[in-house]
Amino acid sequence: MPARPRGRIGRPPPVEEPPVERIYAGRILRRGRITPAEIGVDGDGIIRRVAKDLKGAPRQDFGEGILLPSGVDLHVHFRDPSPPGAVEDLSTGTVQAALGGIAAVVDMPNTDPPITTLARLEEKIARIPARAFVDVLPYAAVTTRERIPLLAPRAAGFKLYLSPTTGDIPPPAGEEVPGLLTEIAGTGLPLHVHAEDPSSFAQGKAPREPREWDLARPPESEESALRGILKGPDHLRLHVAHVTTTKAAQMVREWGGSFEATPHHLLLSTSRIRNAMGKVNPPLRTEERRRELWEEFRAGKIPVLASDHAPHPLGEKETRFDLAPAGVPGVETMLPLLLERVRAGEIELGTLWRAASRRPGLFLGLPWGRIAPGYEANLLVVDFRQRRRISARSLHAPCGWTPYEGWEGIFPVEHHLRGERIVEDGEFVGRRRGRVRRPFEPESPRRPPAAAQGPRDR
Ligand SMILES: [Zn+2]
């Protein structure tokens, strides 16, 4: 249509949009409904148009398939760098992410060696393009106040461990924490916190199963750690990892921070798993607490779903409970397990999408998690008729085990990263196109819009 002057002086000329180079046709979630739609994507993999009917470029028609924005996982441990012989690295981790419908991951710094200095962070950043199949946000570990401004120009965010964890990152002394929080708030970067207070751990004999692990590291230790963190400055861009109780969730929500629940705390409990495969930090809780957490998630009151993917070799998980490392693999199974809960009618697709995709994108301030012009064309094709039984053998985790053996999952049929197919018929077909990403930095640091009051499905 020729441009027609509208009679207003000084009106800027229309900005020319990059041309649509490919069209995806299928069904999308819009205002809580599944409706047919076509998505026009430009040569850089950015969505340019969404309409009922698009023309002028090659089409891929997914028919009854549902096109969803890819997941964004705010919490993985891809263990890169690690000494030789480790069971995971950025290559294997990002392949599992791709197959599980995750287009971007926040990779945690408790590697070996840990990411505590600028030199190590630079090495880590250099490793990503050569290895990653999806986008990676490399986080740095919080050690001393002096190092924070040195790391801030290159880190995607910070991770603070308030209790000892896998890797060699001693938790800061309690009196140092307020200064650390102020310093990090000043950078405008996100801070993810592992909130367990070791001074609330029970002393006594070595735990022999998840039920005893739960008693040894009780919910009160999460609440106690949170009380310290929530004294941090108002403009801290806070995200609390793996909240396991409704009380902890309420505390962070009232403060206005973002927080996540993991698939294992939502689906597993101390009565469902009895060996070291169920050893995680914070521990699995009782079935009653699990059900309460699930109800909050179902109601959309838990803003973010994140995997805390933490693979350990099978041999180490098969040793005595008290000696086994804590952590479970989960980046490949997180969305499939939850999509199966959608299929079963236990949770709405919109609720899952907001937690797995929309709010993590908002928290990071990156164009992810929506099917709308300007957003990256990171898209999944999901067919709810295609269920698959989960087994370690059919998954791609080199660690060789999963706590969800025998569970049903709905794996994405296709996954496209910035308009390029990386999964086809459930098989990985991607290239190393993963990018190093950093969150959008607002001019003045402010709280993220990612809390429970997050947007409806727009
Ligand atoms: Zn973790």
Side-chain angles (χ1 to χ4, degrees):
M1 193 168 57
R4 209 153 56 99
R6 299 263 180 103
R8 239 198 294 158
I9 295 180
R11 191 185 175 84
V15 180
E16 199 159 315
E17 277 193 10
V20 164
E21 292 199 358
R22 76 201 70 183
I23 295 165
Y24 295 88
R27 299 190 298 156
I28 66 170
L29 181 67
R30 197 162 204 174
R31 298 190 180 89
R33 286 220 166 118
I34 304 287
T35 51
E38 304 201 348
I39 304 165
V41 176
D42 73 14
D44 294 325
I46 308 297
I47 296 170
R48 289 297 165 193
R49 296 192 62 197
V50 182
K52 279 257 175 293
D53 189 21
L54 292 175
K55 290 198 170 52
R59 292 160 56 86
Q60 280 174 274
D61 197 334
F62 295 104
E64 293 292 290
I66 298 174
L67 290 155
L68 288 175
S70 309
V72 176
D73 192 342
L74 292 186
H75 191 165
V76 304
H77 301 267
F78 284 167
R79 309 261 187 251
D80 204 336
S82 271
V87 292
E88 195 81 275
D89 60 26
L90 282 161
S91 294
T92 60
T94 52
V95 166
Q96 294 164 67
L99 286 160
I102 306 296
V105 296
V106 164
D107 195 22
M108 291 302 164
N110 59 335
T111 46
D112 184 3
I115 310 302
T116 49
T117 66
L118 184 60
R120 285 185 187 162
L121 178 60
E122 294 290 4
E123 276 172 42
K124 167 97 180 196
I125 289 168
R127 295 169 86 89
I128 294 170
R131 288 173 169 78
F133 294 98
V134 303
D135 289 359
V136 176
L137 292 96
Y139 271 40
V142 178
T143 51
T144 65
R145 188 167 182 168
E146 294 68 38
R147 284 196 188 164
I148 291 164
L150 303 175
L151 290 158
R154 298 288 281 156
F158 289 99
K159 177 71 179 272
L160 174 59
Y161 291 93
L162 294 176
S163 64
T165 183
T166 300
D168 188 19
I169 305 169
E175 64 271 16
E176 291 169 34
V177 171
L180 294 171
L181 298 181
T182 304
E183 194 72 40
I184 293 165
T187 69
L189 288 172
L191 172 69
H192 295 213
V193 178
H194 181 127
E196 280 186 293
D197 173 6
S199 72
S200 308
F201 293 168
Q203 305 301 324
K205 62 181 167 66
R208 289 163 303 182
E209 58 149 325
R211 209 164 14 185
E212 292 178 2
W213 195 236
D214 172 32
L215 298 173
R217 299 168 76 115
E220 297 77 62
S221 57
E222 278 182 74
E223 290 146 22
S224 162
L226 283 175
R227 274 190 288 275
I229 290 298
L230 299 180
K231 289 184 192 131
D234 259 9
H235 58 286
L236 183 64
R237 202 167 168 180
L238 175 68
H239 177 80
V240 177
H242 39 51
V243 161
T244 71
T245 67
T246 51
K247 172 88 185 292
Q250 186 189 350
M251 289 170 73
V252 190
R253 196 184 301 125
E254 280 171 4
W255 188 84
S258 170
F259 59 98
E260 75 197 24
T262 67
H264 44 276
H265 291 116
L266 290 168
L267 300 173
L268 302 173
S269 68
T270 52
S271 48
R272 290 188 176 195
I273 189 161
R274 291 289 174 79
N275 56 22
M277 303 291 177
K279 185 176 180 184
V280 286
N281 288 336
L284 297 181
R285 302 299 183 198
T286 60
E287 180 60 19
E288 190 189 347
R289 283 196 194 274
R290 181 204 69 81
R291 215 174 288 135
E292 288 169 3
L293 193 71
W294 173 252
E295 283 306 317
E296 294 238 315
F297 185 72
R298 226 171 82 93
K301 289 158 99 180
I302 293 179
V304 172
L305 175 72
S307 72
D308 194 6
H309 174 86
H312 296 282
L314 183 59
E316 289 180 22
K317 288 297 257 187
E318 284 177 335
T319 49
R320 246 174 57 196
F321 187 90
D322 58 314
L323 301 177
V328 293
V331 71
E332 188 176 359
T333 48
M334 175 169 73
L335 269 183
L337 285 164
L338 272 291
L339 285 167
E340 167 59 16
R341 297 342 300 159
V342 172
R343 189 207 59 80
E346 292 172 22
I347 180 173
E348 282 185 25
L349 181 58
T351 306
L352 173 58
W353 158 69
R354 279 185 285 276
S357 185
R358 176 65 172 140
R359 290 206 198 91
L362 272 174
F363 178 75
L364 297 168
L366 290 168
W368 291 336
R370 272 187 78 193
I371 295 178
Y375 282 73
E376 292 179 19
N378 297 339
L379 297 169
L380 308 176
V381 181
V382 169
D383 180 345
F384 281 99
R385 294 163 305 187
Q386 295 196 27
R387 294 163 81 198
R388 209 175 88 196
R389 184 150 292 209
I390 292 172
S391 77
R393 272 207 279 161
S394 64
L395 294 176
H396 299 74
C399 69
W401 63 279
T402 170
Y404 307 105
E405 192 73 41
W407 291 55
E408 297 284 337
I410 291 172
F411 289 78
V413 182
E414 298 222 0
H415 189 178
H416 291 244
L417 180 72
R418 282 183 288 278
E420 188 176 300
R421 188 186 275 117
I422 58 173
V423 172
E424 181 175 18
D425 291 333
E427 300 284 333
F428 181 71
V429 295
R431 296 186 291 142
R432 289 191 159 86
R433 286 177 71 234
R435 293 180 185 165
V436 180
R437 303 297 291 262
R438 301 184 72 228
F440 173 73
E441 290 167 80
E443 277 167 43
S444 60
R446 65 193 158 81
R447 279 201 197 166
Q453 310 79 329
R456 306 294 302 173
D457 47 324
R458 281 177 283 133

